[in-house]
Amino acid sequence: MTNQLVIFDTTMRDGEQSPGASMTKDEKVRIGKALEKMRVDIIEAGFAAASPGDFAAIQAVADAVRESTICSLARAVDRDIEHAAEALKRAERARIHTFIATSPIHMQYKLRMQPDQVIEQAVYAINKARNLIADVEFSCEDAGRSDNDFLCRIIEAAINAGASTINIPDTVGYAIPEEFGYKIKTLLERIPNADKAIFSVHCHNDLGLAVANSLAAVANGARQVECTINGLGERAGNAALEEIVMATRTRHDLFDIRTNIDSTQIVPTSRLVSNITGFAVQPNKAIVGANAFAHESGIHQDGVLKHRETYEIMKAEDVGWNANKMVMGKHSGRAAFRSRLDELGVSFETDAALNEAFARFKELADKKHEIFDEDLQALVSETNAAKVADIYKLVSLDCRSATGETPIANVVVSASGHEHKSQAEGSGPVDAALKAIESIAQSGANLQLYSVNAITQGTDSQGEVTVRLEKGGRIVNGNGSDTDIVIASAKAYIHALNLLMSNAERQHPQNDGV
Ligand code: KIV
Ligand code: ZN
């Protein structure tokens, strides 16, 4: 058995299935490039049949990323497989990931199919996919609750049909590590042609065991792990990529395997995903949380100063934690700006896009003397946010708040090119500003989340605001950043309104498609 562990990232597919985490095409390209830089082996860029937007995003990622394999999910039906193959046409390396449910409860109630029909459908889908693209992965949805005898039958047939990766998902996060490890061991021992495929796992975190279950599977012979940055994903999320990579690396004494991952890219990629989705990383999150390497207690600090390994099992710099670096200031030129963004993995398609971002940089540098990498990343997000269906634009905002007085905001917003003015009071200046904007847009959307985060240290930091809006079951995240948090909030609200106006309907991959 090989000692190479394949890292399959599904941040842009399963991660995107988190309510509110949907990503635009440009955002997916940026995340795709960051994952490529991290040397992720396989990037699941979306579910091509879900919507024209997802289809175009997979195409764009396939065009932009040439080193990693690009993958699209597809239910075991003609339409999904055809869409996946078409979206992946220009990829340097492509994979179709097709799946069907195999647990008794899913087959009976969701698919309404007999087990033999499910095997037949899986084999049909794999054959079809293999005729379009050589690299085919097959997943037994809800394998965690599927019968091992049935899994042996369907997997043997899937490998014979040409699937070279077999994925065993714990779709509902029900498994316990010992049991899940045993499942992998049993399948590898009992399936006669198991040596012709790589066995993969895909664990959900409903019981907080996604990483533990994945590691138990690796210990028992799985050689691909499906995971997401920051553990993003349906419900409680998926196994976190950073934890899988660092656990296998740090405990190399137990796991005799290696990955291709450049771990120094973990923190920048985590920040990028958090910034794009608006899902903040909790401070005590392993590896990528702000406190993951902070020692507060005197005894610990003393120990680390005397000998780092007394309390540290990993080096912060190995996962990409750098002290904030002052990278640029108001005298920095366009060439320096472009080269720093290049180093951060951001490039511009046109000179006009570069000029626009540079103009924003100059504006910011006038307000804030030291510009850090985090500021540059926020600035690029904002330049991209401005590209989303420009229905609403913030023209001006004037807010007053004083002790003992009711805050009041006057805003001018242009809607499809026509300027509208509005005034509103609120419990604070942010509340007043958002009420004034809403009175112009009349979106009727429900505010589900409002969060502010200081991008860097110091009181001159930019505030990065996320606004999550829901309307008719659709959820979007708007982002805005500015050294003035009321303006950042207004920008985030307007970005969310524009997203609500723009996105096409998406299908959920776990919907009954057979
Ligand atoms: O959780 C799951 O079962 C999935 C499959 C589509 C792989 O996401
Ligand atoms: Zn999943």
Side-chain angles (χ1 to χ4, degrees):
M1 181 173 292
T2 157
N3 67 352
Q4 180 73 27
L5 181 64
V6 176
I7 297 295
F8 176 116
D9 179 278
T10 183
T11 307
M12 296 195 277
R13 198 279 296 169
D14 215 324
E16 199 192 22
Q17 285 170 218
S18 298
S22 69
M23 301 158 199
T24 64
K25 182 172 85 177
D26 289 341
E27 289 167 344
K28 284 200 172 183
V29 169
R30 288 176 62 208
I31 293 177
K33 283 188 176 165
L35 294 173
E36 179 184 40
K37 195 166 179 196
M38 202 200 281
R39 296 207 291 266
V40 161
D41 301 289
I42 294 141
I43 299 174
E44 190 163 51
F47 170 35
S51 69
D54 232 17
F55 183 95
I58 295 169
Q59 270 188 329
V61 175
D63 285 339
V65 174
R66 308 307 282 172
E67 296 295 326
S68 312
T69 296
I70 308 302
C71 172
S72 168
L73 186 68
R75 290 166 300 183
V77 293
D78 288 321
R79 178 179 175 273
D80 281 25
I81 292 168
E82 284 156 15
H83 273 71
E86 188 61 30
L88 293 167
K89 223 171 177 173
R90 298 197 296 261
E92 186 75 34
R93 300 178 181 81
R95 170 179 293 188
I96 294 183
H97 175 192
T98 186
F99 74 98
I100 195 163
T102 51
S103 62
I105 188 166
H106 276 232
M107 291 192 288
Q108 181 178 352
Y109 295 105
K110 188 180 86 163
L111 299 178
R112 295 199 172 88
M113 285 167 82
Q114 293 302 318
D116 283 344
Q117 290 176 296
V118 171
I119 296 183
E120 206 179 300
Q121 186 75 32
V123 168
Y124 172 80
I126 295 164
N127 274 321
K128 171 149 189 137
R130 271 299 303 262
N131 283 331
L132 299 169
I133 280 184
D135 183 352
V136 174
E137 168 171 335
F138 171 66
S139 278
C140 309
E141 191 192 4
D142 205 16
R145 292 188 298 172
S146 300
D147 171 55
N148 284 349
D149 290 340
F150 182 63
L151 285 178
C152 287
R153 281 181 58 211
I154 194 166
I155 293 171
E156 184 179 352
I159 297 173
N160 282 336
S164 48
T165 302
I166 297 295
N167 186 36
I168 308 297
D170 180 24
T171 304
V172 293
Y174 180 73
I176 301 293
E178 206 182 345
E179 173 199 33
F180 197 62
Y182 183 71
K183 186 180 270 287
I184 300 301
K185 183 172 184 283
T186 307
L187 297 177
L188 283 170
E189 279 171 4
R190 285 185 43 198
I191 298 170
N193 52 2
D195 61 323
K196 306 268 183 315
I198 290 182
F199 276 61
S200 162
V201 288
H202 171 116
C203 296
H204 279 270
N205 206 29
D206 299 66
L207 292 173
L209 293 171
V211 169
N213 286 332
S214 306
L215 293 177
V218 172
N220 282 282
R223 286 295 176 265
Q224 174 178 289
V225 172
E226 301 196 355
C227 42
T228 58
I229 301 293
N230 301 337
L232 200 67
E234 280 267 2
R235 309 181 307 279
N238 290 57
L241 178 148
E242 61 277 9
E243 296 178 24
I244 300 284
V245 168
M246 293 316 290
T248 53
R249 187 165 300 184
T250 307
R251 297 307 309 273
H252 197 256
D253 54 328
L254 294 181
F255 296 98
D256 182 20
I257 48 153
R258 58 177 298 278
T259 70
N260 285 329
I261 298 296
D262 172 359
S263 61
T264 62
Q265 295 304 314
I266 286 178
V267 168
T269 310
S270 156
R271 283 214 182 111
L272 178 68
V273 170
S274 164
N275 183 263
I276 284 176
T277 57
F279 281 46
V281 174
Q282 77 200 51
N284 58 330
K285 163 83 181 63
I287 322 288
V288 292
N291 292 348
F293 291 86
H295 297 283
E296 182 69 22
S297 103
I299 297 174
H300 288 201
Q301 286 174 350
D302 181 54
V304 169
L305 287 175
K306 286 179 174 145
H307 187 78
R308 193 185 57 77
E309 284 169 27
T310 49
Y311 287 100
E312 276 189 11
I313 58 167
M314 296 169 274
K315 287 195 200 138
E317 55 274 29
D318 285 353
V319 296
W321 281 108
N322 290 320
N324 283 338
K325 271 191 292 163
M326 202 281 275
V327 288
M328 311 195 75
K330 71 194 242 179
H331 300 297
S332 309
R334 224 170 77 109
F337 174 72
R338 176 185 229 156
S339 115
R340 186 62 204 152
L341 282 173
D342 256 4
E343 283 167 33
L344 292 174
V346 179
S347 53
F348 295 93
E349 279 168 23
T350 59
D351 271 358
L354 170 66
N355 291 344
E356 192 192 327
F358 186 61
R360 282 174 192 260
F361 162 74
K362 283 289 181 185
E363 257 171 51
L364 180 62
D366 269 342
K367 292 192 255 174
K368 188 173 186 287
H369 298 303
E370 298 173 320
I371 308 282
F372 299 97
D373 286 348
E374 292 83 347
D375 290 312
L376 292 180
Q377 273 164 336
L379 189 133
V380 174
S381 287
E382 209 171 273
T383 311
N384 287 333
K387 285 193 213 156
V388 176
D390 263 354
I391 304 201
Y392 298 109
K393 277 187 186 151
L394 180 66
V395 178
S396 67
L397 168 61
D398 172 7
C399 234
R400 275 157 221 215
S401 66
T403 330
E405 281 181 25
T406 305
I408 190 158
N410 287 290
V411 297
V412 181
V413 168
S414 97
S416 306
H418 301 288
E419 287 194 3
H420 301 265
K421 290 185 182 156
S422 172
Q423 186 179 70
E425 291 183 345
S427 59
V430 171
D431 189 42
L434 300 199
K435 281 185 174 141
I437 296 170
E438 177 59 24
S439 76
I440 295 170
Q442 306 268 334
S443 74
N446 301 312
L447 180 76
Q448 290 203 328
L449 173 107
Y450 170 80
S451 82
V452 193
N453 174 37
I455 295 182
T456 51
Q457 287 150 359
T459 49
D460 70 340
S461 166
Q462 291 196 83
E464 183 178 41
V465 175
T466 301
V467 165
R468 186 175 303 157
L469 296 181
E470 182 277 338
K471 189 170 181 193
R474 280 197 50 221
I475 301 175
V476 294
N477 280 319
N479 301 108
S481 48
D482 201 281
T483 47
D484 179 326
I485 61 161
V486 185
I487 296 177
S489 305
K491 286 179 179 173
Y493 195 80
I494 285 182
H495 181 212
L497 289 175
N498 283 331
L499 285 170
L500 266 187
M501 307 289 293
S502 69
N503 261 6
E505 284 306 309
R506 306 180 78 244
Q507 264 207 71
H508 194 287
Q510 264 88 353
N511 284 349
D512 179 2
V514 179

